[in-house]
Amino acid sequence: MEDDLEKYRLLFDNISDLAYICDTEGKVLLLNRVFEELSGHKPEQFIGKSFAPLFDEENLKKAMDLYTRTLKGESLKREVRFKDTGVLCEYKNIPLRNKKGEIVGVLGTARDITERKRLENDRQNTNKYLEQQVARRTKEWARANEALQIKIVQHTKAEEILRESKEKYSRLVENLQDNYFFYTHNTEGVFTYLSPAITSILGYTTEEFLTHYSEYMTDNPGNEKALKHTDLSLKGIKQPPYELEIYHKDGSQHTLKVQEVPVFDRNHKVIAVEGIAEDITDRKHVEKKSLMYQIQLKHLSSTLSLTEERERRHISEDLHDRIGQSLTVIKMKLEELKDSQVDTDRDRVLDEAGELLNIAIQETRTLTFEISPPLLYELGFEPAVEWLIEQFMERHNIPIEYEGNGDGRMLDDDVSFFLFKSVRELLFNTVKHAGADRIKVSIQRDKDRIRISIKDNGVGFDSSKVQYSIENLSGFGLFSIRERMEHFGGDFNIESKPDQGTRITLTLKQQRGDRGA
């Protein structure tokens, strides 16, 4: 059951409605974050306790009836009001069963319908008034001209069909999320119904949209497409859904997925068009971002392979030029000693061979440090960084200040190696691109976090426009570091302005596997 609760807890975090689980004794096992907003109580106040104090006597009877019948295997819904906030919710319960099919609790959701109920009451009152007006006018028309009776009958039948459609859509609207809205319009293109969700999607109230519809659609990029589909619907042609680009009231562009169907009377004549529009703007953005991210990762994989090959070639060249040549000369020197026919100064040859051997040993150590410094694994991350800073100052003749409060803990090998490579990459970028004459490297640790900061006084740049991509060398480096930081659960932050230098900060939680010195 604990595993099931954890599964539902992850699911509940992504639900916009109140979601809950109760056991067979009426105790609350799980609540999501929406509970506090609707009930006025924190979830932890009711975990392991009865839900009874949340309702007055009348609403508690409804809640208990819903709960009891669900435990008998029924899937039900009821409208129940919270006592302390007055929020009216529509509860939907289903039995929660174990792997054997036994009922072990109740799984339910609750949606706030307070505002919807108020709108329904307002709409009912308005419809009642309109119906009274229609009845009065109908009598006036009947007395004025009996010849119009046939048209009145036809009109009444059409109104009945449209009223049935409105009722059907009203029921559907109650169970839809805020990113959908319904609409209907007559054969002249005039809207006869718009669901309230249009306000949350496009920013316009129903009245604003109806009043300014013509000029509003004229300025929208999808106007021609919308008119074309509507024209086909009015001709009785059913069409597949289509995407429509349209502007929000604030000027931002939204993408709607629209499905329209013609409405026929009993004589199969089109009398209206009904439609549903879904706001898929966020989905389109996510799809676009996901596609770009996949492209970047493919390029990253290719670039990493090329980089690995260049590193192999570089190491091979170093072994040949810096170590191989020295070993070849040593071999030649030692072979001189084997030739008994030649008068050889053995001490001189041995001295020269020893000197060359010392050079080869030193080159081997240098190359080893460049590939993976033993200091990193023997003494820890901070000493390795201090050695790296000394190498940079010696090679590039630039002052680098170091500040740290290392507490002696050894980082996990993978983390330590990644952070060391990142510092080396960032220092190289700074020396190459920043034009700085002063650099400061700071490593600070607290209880569960390590923070690395590299600051320079160079040319800087507009950090708000920085692009993490692989289209250039520096961009690839930043992209690679950022991706690895996210993999380890850390943060990568850049602060920079033109002519004001740059500060790059890497923050990472110290892993459980960190080792004592």
Side-chain angles (χ1 to χ4, degrees), residues 429-448:
N429 280 352
T430 300
V431 171
K432 185 176 180 181
H433 302 292
D437 58 17
R438 189 170 63 255
I439 302 174
K440 180 177 180 179
V441 178
S442 173
I443 302 177
Q444 301 295 326
R445 296 207 200 191
D446 52 28
K447 292 182 179 179
D448 63 348

Side-chain angles (χ1 to χ4, degrees), residues 115-127:
E115 181 64 14
R116 191 189 75 201
K117 282 294 184 181
R118 185 187 69 77
L119 293 174
E120 287 178 356
N121 292 334
D122 290 345
R123 185 170 66 249
Q124 289 174 359
N125 293 334
T126 301
N127 288 342

Side-chain angles (χ1 to χ4, degrees), residues 239-350:
Q239 307 159 77
Y242 68 95
E243 292 185 5
L244 176 67
E245 300 296 331
I246 197 166
Y247 288 123
H248 189 276
K249 186 177 181 180
D250 62 10
S252 60
Q253 187 166 299
H254 283 232
T255 302
L256 304 181
K257 185 178 182 180
V258 183
Q259 172 75 73
E260 288 186 343
V261 293
V263 180
F264 303 94
D265 62 11
R266 291 182 176 88
N267 298 319
H268 204 69
K269 179 183 178 181
V270 177
I271 58 173
V273 173
E274 298 176 338
I276 179 174
E278 178 190 4
D279 186 359
I280 60 172
T281 307
D282 292 341
R283 185 195 310 169
K284 298 292 284 187
H285 288 167
V286 170
E287 289 174 356
K288 182 178 180 181
K289 184 177 180 180
S290 176
L291 179 61
M292 293 301 297
Y293 193 73
Q294 290 175 19
I295 293 173
Q296 282 187 324
L297 289 180
K298 287 180 181 178
H299 284 297
L300 175 59
S301 177
S302 175
T303 306
L304 285 175
S305 297
L306 293 174
T307 302
E308 183 179 356
E309 182 59 33
R310 284 196 297 267
E311 287 299 318
R312 286 197 185 103
R313 188 168 62 249
H314 175 68
I315 293 171
S316 175
E317 291 172 352
D318 279 347
L319 287 172
H320 178 271
D321 297 340
R322 297 164 59 178
I323 300 174
Q325 291 182 3
S326 294
L327 294 177
T328 300
V329 176
I330 291 173
K331 180 182 177 182
M332 293 171 60
K333 292 290 183 182
L334 294 177
E335 286 178 348
E336 288 184 36
L337 300 178
K338 294 169 60 178
D339 192 348
S340 59
Q341 304 298 323
V342 179
D343 185 15
T344 303
D345 186 346
R346 292 179 176 273
D347 291 337
R348 176 185 60 80
V349 171
L350 289 174

